[in-house]
Amino acid sequence: MKRNYLLLLLSITIISCNNSKKTFNTLNSSISFTKYVDPFIGTGGHGHTYPGATVPFGMLQVSPVNGMNGWDWCSGYHYSDSIITGFSHLSLSGTGIGDLADILCMPINKEVDITLTPKSRDSLAYTSSYSHDNESASPGYYQVYLDDHNVNVELTTKLRTVYHKYTFKKNETQSVVIDLGFGINWDKAVETFISVDDDHSISGYRFSKGWARNQKVFFTAKFSKPIVKHNLVSDGKIIEGNISKGIKTATQLFFKNNENSILEAKVALSSVSIENAKDNLEKGNFTFEEVKKEANSIWNEALSKIEVDTATDSLKTIFYTALYHSQLAPVTFSDKNGQFRKENDSIITAKNYTAYSTLSLWDTFRAEHPLLTLVAPEKVSDMVRTMLEYYQPKKILPVWSLYGNETNTMTGYHSIPVIVEAYLKGIKGFDAEEAYKAMKTTMMQDERGLDHYKKYGFIPYHLLDESVTITLEYAYDDWCVAQMAKALGKENDYEFFLHRSKAYQFLFDKKTGFMRGKSQDATSWNEPFDPKYSNHREHTDYTEGNAWQHSWFVPHAVKDLAKLHGSNEIFTNRLEQLFTESSEITGTNASADISGLIGQYAHGNEPSHHIAYLFNHANKPWRTQYWARHILDTQYNTTPNGLSGNEDCGQMSAWYVFSAIGFYPMNPASTNYEIGSPIFEKSTIKISKNVSFVIEAENVSSDNKYIQSASLNGLPFHQTTIAQKTIVEGGKLHFVMGNLPNKNWATNSHKPITTN
């Protein structure tokens, strides 16, 4: 008996020691995570995603292009369409402005007239109808059958090289049209060039002006068969020889038609030169199937960073598609040799780092960049270094970078919270003092309303449109700068920026409970006032929204915001009203971005994304649990309409990833996450090879959304936040769920258990 007792004691000791290491390395490397991804989710409705092939943060995104202009074709593709004009090599995922779709290729089975200057896609000679029944996509792969040309198209890619595989009908003409004059939406070609280099290769460039005002794309393409004939066109005229240059150039290539019905191609791009594009092009044979398999493997590894357990496959499809979408951007921008072009045409060499572009910071600072600190931390410092390089020409940090161009799209300077978050989470690889100087200099300049902000402490409504949103966002950026100053021991700067971060106090109207436009006299409001009124991007106090959606953006001082309302009770009652108010939006030019409405809460646009988690700071965490779960259940599904608004380069999906596993970065630069309501029985975040963090939700179901109790590494857990530091050290967070709220858990009502 004594021997058995000693063995039991030894076993308990061993288990305890193992738990103290917090490894919990339970991930199964044999699982296929990619099988749950559906790239067509978000290609319908207003999701604006693309279904084409890419790898995580890949330089190239080869995808079908419908050839339509319009808001829902911002990525070039919309699920409602049935015509394809070709396949481009650069795509935007879920943005609200259309650009890219550069270097359009289209396989066809006949000779066509490419001299015509089309007024619409209907006058293009090379388009084809297609059916979704003959279309498929998976991570790193896309396939479609072109009905009018009898060609099956398959696409896959590596980091800097795209692989095309065209299967023609036997004995039919094998041809490819490459149209550099083609553009979508705002994008227009200003100079293009094509060179037929030899019997297997072409190269050229496409310079264009659109959302990216100075976009230069150089390319090279190599084919598996000899080019036996080519037609070249420049601005509607046939060009003799092997070179064509003009505003709009195009070529039709014809290939040797032998018994082999398959034509393959490799394409690489560069922002710098044709020579760099050729250097980026993968050498060796045409190994389409191997590349496809490799792309799937790369994605499987990226998706394996979070493993979720649930018996409901549809939830896995939504989750892993969201995790997939959250790793499409930012995109690799520097070439194999490290070079990349900035909008002033300077060529920079990224030494010992990879440069990135497509930085949709107004959106992605909220959840996508925080997610990357967990699933791709090795890339975060390179993204920060890229931002610091973009800072150099004008000494202003980037706002929204597209193909090396600053678009100045949206409000605030939200590269700042991304940088501060990275530094405070211990991510190395960039100069902290240099980063701090860039942030301070940016927030002390006079552009984009900062002159008014510095003079008045807020932005008066008659001096700048969207004054309320801009003031609130500058206040948050100031708070982030203050945290960096404090971490670096700059006490005077800390006090200065912390004081400025209270700018939201100027705009709060206690009578109505909203943040409102205020005059420079600091006493009178913008009248008349209607909290449901929206006017898109002009003559308005709010960006892509109204007072209901924008009055809650004080993520750095929620408790103070509640005090401004008068009490936690008043604050939470108004939060409840946000979700239960009628969904009417007034105004004749209301922003189309206001979508995914639950009352006046608009999940289809980013300013609402943190709001459900505010209850945690007002002593009602069970309401955060209720509303977070309600949003998860109603705003995402497995259809092409599965996103309630623009994907916005990963933010819409990152919200789902975080919220589904049970927490969310309401204030990213705080390095803390707000506890919500997990939907999976178990989620495992792979921190490193030997360290994982596990979130368990005992008894969880569609009804059991409320936390009854919780423990962290076996000890009682009674708080609504969990720190990044705790997560990356590894461990286990265990929830017991129920169908009724436990109003004592993690509230002021909770009384710690004491022992005598």
Side-chain angles (χ1 to χ4, degrees):
M1 185 70 179
K2 182 177 180 181
R3 181 173 178 272
N4 289 340
Y5 173 78
L6 290 174
L7 286 173
L8 177 62
L9 184 63
L10 179 61
S11 298
I12 293 172
T13 303
I14 292 171
I15 292 170
S16 177
C17 289
N18 286 341
N19 282 348
S20 70
K21 293 179 182 178
K22 301 178 183 177
T23 57
F24 298 102
N25 189 22
T26 59
L27 288 177
N28 187 344
S29 59
S30 64
I31 294 176
S32 172
F33 298 95
T34 56
K35 73 177 183 179
Y36 295 109
V37 175
D38 183 356
F40 290 107
I41 291 177
T43 60
H46 302 316
H48 297 182
T49 61
Y50 62 83
T54 188
V55 293
F57 315 105
M59 174 179 274
L60 305 175
Q61 312 85 38
V62 59
S63 191
V65 176
N66 296 132
M68 287 285 287
N69 289 327
W71 192 51
D72 281 332
W73 281 264
C74 282
S75 75
Y77 177 98
H78 195 263
Y79 197 80
S80 64
D81 216 323
S82 60
I83 301 294
I84 285 178
T85 60
F87 304 90
S88 66
H89 294 76
L90 297 173
S91 305
L92 288 168
S93 179
T95 58
I97 301 179
D99 203 328
L100 302 185
D102 292 80
I103 319 301
L104 189 79
C105 298
M106 184 63 164
I108 61 176
N109 62 351
K110 58 187 176 182
E111 186 168 1
V112 295
D113 184 359
I114 57 174
T115 64
L116 299 175
T117 301
K119 295 181 180 180
S120 69
R121 75 171 180 185
D122 293 337
S123 54
L124 288 170
Y126 50 79
T127 62
S128 175
S129 60
Y130 71 102
S131 167
H132 295 307
D133 293 336
N134 294 317
E135 182 184 32
S136 63
S138 59
Y141 175 74
Y142 173 83
Q143 173 274 327
V144 69
Y145 187 82
L146 301 178
D147 293 333
D148 294 345
H149 305 316
N150 296 326
V151 181
N152 189 59
V153 176
E154 297 177 86
L155 308 169
T156 191
T157 183
K158 289 193 171 187
L159 184 66
R160 293 185 176 90
T161 299
V162 161
Y163 287 71
H164 297 243
K165 181 180 179 182
Y166 308 138
T167 303
F168 293 83
K169 288 288 187 181
K170 188 175 181 180
N171 298 323
E172 287 197 351
T173 298
Q174 298 180 18
S175 179
V176 175
V177 171
I178 298 175
D179 189 348
L180 302 188
F182 175 86
I184 63 170
N185 288 321
W186 291 262
D187 174 74
K188 294 185 183 300
V190 295
E191 183 181 325
T192 61
F193 171 81
I194 298 174
S195 169
V196 180
D197 296 335
D198 55 46
D199 63 354
H200 280 80
S201 305
I202 69 168
S203 61
Y205 59 74
R206 183 179 189 273
F207 300 167
S208 62
K209 182 177 182 181
W211 190 14
R213 290 182 294 274
N214 180 26
Q215 187 189 0
K216 290 182 168 66
V217 182
F218 300 85
F219 78 96
T220 188
K222 187 173 183 179
F223 297 92
S224 61
K225 291 182 177 180
I227 301 169
V228 295
K229 175 186 172 184
H230 66 266
N231 297 334
L232 276 173
V233 168
S234 174
D235 298 326
K237 297 179 180 179
I238 297 174
I239 302 297
E240 299 296 331
N242 295 332
I243 292 176
S244 177
K245 183 178 180 180
I247 296 175
K248 295 183 176 183
T249 59
T251 184
Q252 182 171 10
L253 307 174
F254 299 87
F255 297 88
K256 187 175 181 180
N257 185 358
N258 51 26
E259 293 182 359
N260 184 359
S261 60
I262 295 175
L263 172 66
E264 296 187 65
K266 295 188 289 186
V267 181
L269 308 185
S270 166
S271 67
V272 176
S273 65
I274 292 173
E275 291 72 22
N276 275 19
K278 290 180 178 179
D279 186 47
N280 288 338
L281 189 73
E282 289 285 335
K283 307 302 186 284
N285 296 327
F286 293 85
T287 53
F288 186 91
E289 294 303 325
E290 290 180 17
V291 174
K292 174 187 172 184
K293 184 177 179 180
E294 180 185 354
N296 182 78
S297 178
I298 291 170
W299 271 115
N300 206 59
E301 173 63 23
L303 298 172
S304 74
K305 297 298 177 67
I306 305 179
E307 181 179 338
V308 297
D309 290 350
T310 177
T312 308
D313 279 353
S314 61
L315 291 181
K316 284 187 177 181
T317 295
I318 298 170
F319 180 83
Y320 283 109
T321 302
L323 190 56
Y324 164 82
H325 278 144
S326 67
Q327 297 179 76
L328 296 183
V331 301
T332 297
F333 191 49
S334 53
D335 292 332
K336 189 176 178 181
N337 65 5
Q339 291 183 329
F340 64 99
R341 180 186 298 270
K342 293 202 291 189
E343 64 180 315
N344 62 2
D345 283 324
S346 61
I347 305 301
I348 305 299
T349 300
K351 296 180 179 178
N352 302 317
Y353 76 97
T354 297
Y356 290 88
S357 193
T358 309
L359 295 165
S360 181
L361 293 163
W362 189 76
D363 310 291
T364 56
F365 88 90
R366 304 169 196 267
E368 198 238 2
H369 280 284
L371 181 61
L372 298 187
T373 68
L374 289 174
V375 301
E378 72 284 355
K379 300 187 185 303
V380 173
S381 64
D382 285 6
M383 293 175 187
V384 171
R385 290 185 68 176
T386 303
M387 294 176 201
L388 296 179
E389 181 56 53
Y390 290 149
Y391 160 82
Q392 292 301 328
K394 295 183 179 179
K395 303 302 179 186
I396 300 175
L397 281 165
V399 176
W400 211 121
S401 297
L402 175 62
Y403 216 78
N405 284 243
E406 178 52 73
T407 68
N408 274 313
T409 303
M410 310 311 294
T411 49
Y413 285 102
H414 299 317
S415 47
I416 289 173
V418 173
I419 295 169
V420 174
E421 177 190 23
Y423 180 74
L424 295 182
K425 285 183 175 179
I427 291 176
K428 310 297 182 183
F430 62 93
D431 187 319
E433 289 289 346
E434 178 190 358
Y436 177 75
K437 181 180 179 182
M439 290 187 290
K440 179 179 177 180
T441 301
T442 297
M443 292 306 294
M444 293 304 294
Q445 45 95 19
D446 291 333
E447 291 190 23
R448 291 163 48 88
L450 274 169
D451 51 347
H452 308 312
Y453 180 80
K454 290 189 296 182
K455 181 176 180 180
Y456 299 102
F458 65 98
I459 299 174
Y461 72 85
H462 59 284
L463 297 182
L464 188 68
D465 279 344
E466 305 178 348
S467 62
V468 173
T469 298
I470 297 171
T471 296
L472 295 177
E473 294 188 6
Y474 281 161
Y476 178 64
D477 291 339
D478 273 343
W479 184 86
C480 294
V481 177
Q483 305 314 302
M484 189 77 162
K486 184 177 182 180
L488 295 175
K490 302 178 188 297
E491 193 63 29
N492 290 339
D493 282 2
Y494 168 71
E495 295 293 341
F496 174 83
F497 285 104
L498 188 66
H499 176 73
R500 277 206 338 188
S501 74
K502 298 175 183 178
Y504 60 89
Q505 296 176 351
F506 287 101
L507 301 184
F508 183 75
D509 176 15
K510 191 167 185 177
K511 182 179 179 180
T512 63
F514 293 101
M515 297 287 179
R516 295 183 56 187
K518 181 171 277 189
S519 178
Q520 66 189 57
D521 63 12
T523 59
S524 55
W525 303 106
N526 189 3
E527 300 285 1
F529 176 65
D530 174 3
K532 294 182 179 179
Y533 177 80
S534 168
N535 200 51
H536 185 66
R537 302 312 303 268
E538 59 180 11
H539 309 304
T540 178
D541 294 337
Y542 310 96
T543 303
E544 295 182 355
N546 60 25
W548 271 112
Q549 289 124 33
H550 283 266
S551 293
W552 312 97
F553 189 73
V554 190
H556 56 294
V558 182
K559 291 185 183 298
D560 187 54
L561 179 61
K563 288 180 182 178
L564 290 177
H565 280 265
S567 69
N568 279 346
E569 197 63 25
I570 296 172
F571 178 64
T572 54
N573 285 343
R574 285 173 174 165
L575 277 174
E576 291 289 346
Q577 187 181 355
L578 167 74
F579 288 99
T580 58
E581 183 73 16
S582 79
S583 295
E584 177 192 16
I585 304 296
T586 61
T588 58
N589 187 34
S591 177
D593 296 274
I594 304 175
S595 61
L597 285 166
I598 304 171
Q600 285 288 315
Y601 173 90
H603 193 71
N605 209 18
E606 281 64 28
S608 288
H609 278 191
H610 70 293
I611 296 176
Y613 292 89
L614 295 175
F615 290 98
N616 277 355
H617 288 257
N619 212 32
K620 287 189 178 179
W622 66 92
R623 298 311 291 167
T624 282
Q625 294 157 34
Y626 175 85
W627 286 115
R629 184 58 182 266
H630 184 77
I631 298 164
L632 284 163
D633 291 344
T634 62
Q635 301 301 303
Y636 299 84
N637 61 61
T638 59
T639 73
N641 293 344
L643 296 174
S644 60
N646 294 172
E647 164 63 10
D648 282 317
C649 298
Q651 170 57 29
M652 194 68 65
S653 290
W655 189 97
Y656 188 92
V657 171
F658 271 124
S659 296
I661 63 176
F663 52 81
Y664 183 80
M666 184 194 73
N667 174 4
S670 72
T671 75
N672 291 325
Y673 300 93
E674 299 293 327
I675 302 296
S677 178
I679 66 172
F680 299 117
E681 289 88 344
K682 181 180 179 182
S683 304
T684 305
I685 306 171
K686 183 178 179 181
I687 305 301
S688 64
K689 184 178 180 180
N690 297 313
V691 178
S692 295
F693 188 80
V694 177
I695 304 103
E696 293 178 337
E698 184 180 340
N699 301 325
V700 71
S701 69
S702 57
D703 292 327
N704 294 346
K705 62 176 70 72
Y706 296 107
I707 297 171
Q708 306 299 299
S709 63
S711 61
L712 178 63
N713 299 326
L715 299 175
F717 183 78
H718 295 286
Q719 61 189 60
T720 59
T721 61
I722 187 167
Q724 173 93 353
K725 183 176 183 294
T726 300
I727 293 170
V728 298
E729 285 177 348
K732 182 184 292 184
L733 180 61
H734 183 89
F735 296 108
V736 176
M737 309 298 290
N739 64 355
L740 295 174
N742 177 2
K743 297 182 181 181
N744 291 320
W745 181 80
T747 67
N748 293 342
S749 303
H750 168 71
K751 295 180 180 179
I753 298 173
T754 59
T755 56
N756 295 327

